[in-house]
Amino acid sequence: MSLVRPASIRPIGFAGLLLAALLLLAASPAQAFCGFYVARADTQLYNQASQVVLVRDGDRTVITMASDFSGELDEFAMVVPVPTFIEREQIHVAEQSLIDHLDAYSAPRLVEYHDDDPCARREDRMKRSLAAPMASQAVMEDEAAELGVTVEATYTVGEYDILILSAEESGGLVTWLTRNGYRLPDGAEPVVRSYLRQGMRFFVAKVNLEEQAELGYQNLRPIQVAFEDRKFMLPIRLGTVNADGPQELFVYALTRSGRVETTNYRTVQLPTDQEIPTFVANDFARFYKDLFRRQVDKENGRAVFLEYAWDMAWCDPCAADPLTPRELRELGVFWVDADSRGPAQNVYVTRLHLRYDREHFPEDLRFQETGNRANFQGRYILRHPWTGRATCAAAETYRQNLHTRQTERARTLAHLTGWDLAEIRERMNLGDGPRKVDDEEPWWKRLWGG
């Protein structure tokens, strides 16, 4: 999606997404998940991060598009390619809190464990583990007709005035948009032409200032559109035409059966269940942004990353509570009974994150729904060492191995983020680095303890 400004252009919010926009005018053995939640890497870590919720079942799709537009509201506009004609009843306005909740629920998270007393009985440890939980309408249409543009419908939905446009050719559509105050970026026409060739229409939204004032909303709410189409895709190319550098996009897909993956780009799982030094608790935002940047570089900027995949009925550990059936229904999950009690059933969430630009993502995103229901979450572990004074044999072994474990966590952090290993070791108070091989004793002196 894009926002259109009469005078200047910059990618905002939907930042190009579907954004489509035209901006116009070491994991702990046998402890799979759990742990105590510490922090999360939600979209607030990124400036102008675009968010889209896709509800998909068969050919039915409900898309919720959030905007982080800031500025004069009379300069706001969103232009999104859509695959079919959209009627008034197919458009809705949602509350931003729904997306914020979904973001918080699915965000990569930091968790912590505390090492047990190595002298404690194994049975006791097991018990503790189990206990943890515009112009006038007529003028506008006449002008459009002269240019081969059809204003198929006009609606007011909440604080938005919405047009559904089709066109015979891209030049006429671009001219009409320009005449009506939408300044398109250079190079937009070929992209518009490609969407028209696919038989797509254009969904255009502007803010109705009178309605907005009457409703009393200060911020723009997300727009929702429901439609049917066999293609499961998200148009992003228009948003890259005038983008100033790569953009962040988060896609939350809600389905009945299982994970959603991209079919024309690699879907890659982020590194997860990695034990890292405890000081990261105070620097998790920088840690996660550097980790993600490093993974993008590793994949040459051409991958879509899986950050979370889970059954919406539960979570472990919970960065936020699962969404209620009513919240899911408001997001467009039409097979859920909003009045049902307890957790929602048959709703699976996939969180995808990509950093994209025109060079590395020349095609729109195409998706497929799979039957894979394996749980996945970006989870990073802080493990606090045991500091007791017990003197059993297990405690002595624990103390002897602790430095090695801490050293491995330092190396893991450096590998994940690219941070300097010497600085990491210094922050962990690990002293000098490991001895060079040349300085070590001959291997055979350690063979029999001689």
Side-chain angles (χ1 to χ4, degrees):
M1 149 192 128
S2 278
L3 307 180
V4 183
R5 291 180 160 234
S8 60
I9 300 173
R10 69 181 181 89
I12 306 174
F14 237 14
L17 156 71
L18 235 199
L19 289 193
L22 301 176
L23 230 222
L24 318 202
L25 271 205
S28 172
Q31 281 186 302
F33 295 106
C34 300
F36 295 96
Y37 165 73
V38 178
R40 61 174 175 250
D42 55 28
T43 58
Q44 294 181 9
L45 297 185
Y46 299 93
N47 293 328
Q48 300 176 2
S50 301
Q51 295 172 285
V52 180
V53 181
L54 291 174
V55 174
R56 179 75 173 184
D57 185 52
D59 289 345
R60 299 177 180 180
T61 299
V62 181
I63 181 169
T64 303
M65 302 170 285
S67 169
D68 63 355
F69 175 80
S70 59
E72 297 296 328
L73 293 182
D74 59 359
E75 295 183 0
F76 169 90
M78 178 192 299
V79 179
V80 181
V82 291
T84 186
F85 176 75
I86 305 296
E87 297 186 12
R88 164 64 181 82
E89 291 75 14
Q90 293 173 255
I91 306 168
H92 190 253
V93 178
E95 298 298 330
Q96 180 63 39
S97 59
L98 295 171
I99 298 180
D100 292 343
H101 190 174
L102 184 55
D103 174 38
Y105 170 81
S106 61
R109 70 277 324 264
L110 185 66
V111 300
E112 64 181 2
Y113 293 94
H114 292 264
D115 283 348
D116 291 324
D117 179 351
C119 297
R121 295 180 53 159
R122 181 174 181 272
E123 291 81 1
D124 291 339
R125 292 204 302 273
M126 291 179 64
K127 289 178 183 178
R128 287 197 299 273
S129 175
L130 291 173
M134 296 172 150
S136 71
Q137 177 76 13
V139 172
M140 179 176 63
E141 293 185 0
D142 289 345
E143 202 174 62
E146 293 177 0
L147 295 168
V149 176
T150 301
V151 181
E152 298 195 352
T154 62
Y155 311 121
T156 296
V157 182
E159 62 267 41
Y160 296 99
D161 286 334
I162 293 167
L163 304 177
I164 307 300
L165 304 177
S166 62
E168 296 174 4
E169 49 90 20
S170 58
L173 180 57
V174 169
T175 299
W176 185 89
L177 288 168
T178 302
R179 287 183 182 178
N180 283 271
Y182 300 101
R183 179 181 172 187
L184 300 182
D186 293 340
E189 185 175 338
V191 181
V192 171
R193 184 185 308 122
S194 70
Y195 288 125
L196 291 177
R197 286 175 176 170
Q198 298 176 54
M200 300 183 78
R201 293 167 171 84
F202 285 83
F203 175 101
V204 180
K206 278 189 173 183
V207 178
N208 183 314
L209 297 178
E210 293 182 2
E211 289 289 334
Q212 201 235 7
E214 184 174 335
L215 291 169
Y217 290 101
Q218 300 300 314
N219 299 314
L220 296 179
R221 294 177 294 168
I223 298 178
Q224 298 178 292
V225 184
F227 56 88
E228 292 189 26
D229 189 65
R230 63 181 181 79
K231 295 180 181 178
F232 187 15
M233 56 87 72
L234 193 61
I236 64 172
R237 288 180 296 138
L238 278 175
T240 64
V241 171
N242 62 344
D244 183 16
Q247 303 175 65
E248 302 290 334
L249 172 61
F250 294 85
V251 178
Y252 314 91
L254 298 168
T255 65
R256 287 185 198 250
S257 59
R259 290 188 194 178
V260 167
E261 301 174 349
T262 46
T263 61
N264 55 335
Y265 298 101
R266 292 188 63 211
T267 303
V268 178
Q269 292 186 175
L270 285 176
T272 189
D273 287 343
Q274 303 289 311
E275 292 195 8
I276 55 179
T278 56
F279 73 78
V280 175
N282 298 319
D283 210 3
F284 187 54
R286 184 169 73 99
F287 160 80
Y288 191 78
K289 288 178 17 177
D290 286 348
L291 177 151
F292 188 77
R293 171 192 50 79
R294 197 165 175 84
Q295 293 303 308
V296 170
D297 292 344
K298 180 180 177 182
E299 298 294 333
N300 298 315
R302 299 181 184 277
V304 175
F305 294 93
L306 178 69
E307 291 187 327
Y308 194 79
W310 210 274
D311 190 314
M312 180 59 75
W314 64 295
C315 50
D316 179 23
C318 295
D321 291 335
L323 275 67
T324 65
R326 182 165 298 279
E327 288 176 309
L328 290 169
R329 184 76 181 194
E330 290 175 0
L331 278 172
V333 185
F334 50 84
W335 60 89
V336 168
D337 180 0
D339 296 324
S340 62
R341 296 184 178 183
Q345 302 299 315
N346 300 320
V347 182
Y348 193 89
V349 58
T350 305
R351 176 188 174 116
L352 301 173
H353 181 187
L354 62 147
R355 180 170 297 162
Y356 70 104
D357 58 22
R358 189 175 185 178
E359 177 184 356
H360 298 90
F361 282 82
E363 299 178 355
D364 295 322
L365 300 179
R366 296 198 296 270
F367 301 103
Q368 66 178 0
E369 181 182 357
T370 75
N372 184 355
R373 297 183 66 88
N375 293 327
F376 175 85
Q377 58 180 291
R379 190 181 74 122
Y380 307 94
I381 303 167
L382 309 180
R383 188 172 296 280
H384 298 274
W386 173 74
T387 58
R389 297 185 178 182
T391 57
C392 67
E396 293 304 315
T397 300
Y398 173 86
R399 294 185 182 103
Q400 292 172 10
N401 293 336
L402 183 59
H403 186 276
T404 300
R405 292 167 58 200
Q406 298 283 51
T407 298
E408 184 60 32
R409 290 167 191 159
R411 290 172 177 162
T412 297
L413 181 58
H415 175 72
L416 290 175
T417 63
W419 294 358
D420 182 75
L421 180 59
E423 293 181 4
I424 294 172
R425 291 181 60 87
E426 183 177 355
R427 293 188 67 177
M428 296 176 68
N429 297 316
L430 288 179
D432 296 333
R435 292 181 301 173
K436 297 180 180 178
V437 174
D438 292 345
D439 296 334
E440 294 182 354
E441 294 179 333
W443 65 272
W444 40 266
K445 282 193 175 184
R446 302 190 304 276
L447 184 57
W448 295 291

